[in-house]
Every structure is written in structure tokens, then in C-alpha cells.
Amino acid sequence: MFESFYEDIVVGETSEFGKREVTKEEIVDFASKFDPQPFHMDEELAKQSVFGNLCASGWHTASMTMRILVDDMKDRRFAGMGSPGLDKLEWKKPVFPGDILRVQSTPLEKRESASKPHLGLVKTETVVVNQNNEVVMRMVSNMMVLKRNPS
């Protein structure tokens, strides 16, 4: 089932993947369900906001990033087993309709789990950039990954 495990992760090696175009419809749809602020829902009101245009909720950006990450894990048949949380989450620039998002992921450190010998723990910096190579989001997350050969 899995082909890529904890042992295959190289600290410091950056991978870039994903390509997702953001639409006005999905911005409004997400906002209407989860973050109904005017600058996410109404183009005219958004023009009067600090953003100057309709923009995605930061939580929407994080959700799209998660989808890009999970799609990549499925493609690589990566043995990810979830996350115990984030150390940092920063929304650096707004995401607008028509933006195309890509992910850059760099493992910062890894260690074997003391309590679960079949898992490794990996701290990763994930940077999301738009079509202009502008950073729109940055996060540092922690991930649990199956080991190929648990000791």
C-alpha cells in the first residue's frame, strides 16, 4: 500500500508540487459556511476593505493547502499517519480569485517516536506561493509517519 516511509524523508530537501486555481465561487462558498466576513462574501464590500478585492479566508487557504498536501501523499503513496498539530501558521498575503497556488515543503527535523516505535515524527515547513511566486501562507507542522522497519 505505501511506498514512501519515514526513512525516505531527507531533512532540508525541498519538494514543490500542486497547482490549484482559486475561483470566486469557491471563495464565497467556503466563506458562507465557515468564515462569513464581508471581504470573503461580497465583491463590492471587499473593494472597500483593506484587501481591495474579494479574497479567500485564511482558513480556506489552509484547507486548499491540505488538499494539495494530501493529493501529493496519495500520489507518492506516502505513509503519513496524521498530525499532532502546528507550531506556526502565518497568512502572508491575501489569496484572490484567479490565483494559482503551489506548495513548497521542506522537512526541518525528524526523530523516532519514543512512545510508538512504529512511527517517526517530522517537523516540516510548508510554504504556499501564488503564480507570482509570492508567499501567501507559511506553516510549520508536525507529522507522524510510519517507519518501514520499526525497531
Side-chain angles (χ1 to χ4, degrees), residues 12 34 50 110 137:
F34 304 108
V50 296
K110 69 183 209 177
M137 191 183 92

Side-chain angles (χ1 to χ4, degrees), residues 60-129:
H60 184 193
T61 302
S63 295
M64 290 184 285
T65 301
M66 190 66 203
R67 180 59 192 253
I68 292 169
L69 289 168
V70 171
D71 285 348
D72 178 68
M73 286 191 288
K74 281 181 7 187
D75 290 346
R76 292 186 300 124
R77 298 177 67 175
F78 180 71
M81 293 289 116
S83 172
L86 300 173
D87 292 346
K88 180 187 281 191
L89 176 61
E90 301 173 318
W91 295 303
K92 307 300 274 180
K93 284 188 162 291
V95 172
F96 298 111
D99 280 355
I100 299 170
L101 304 181
R102 295 183 331 276
V103 169
Q104 300 165 348
S105 182
T106 307
L108 301 175
E109 59 187 68
K110 69 183 209 177
R111 66 181 173 82
E112 295 183 10
S113 171
S115 61
K116 295 178 177 54
H118 65 290
L119 291 177
L121 302 169
V122 182
K123 185 180 297 288
T124 302
E125 179 183 49
T126 301
V127 176
V128 183
V129 297

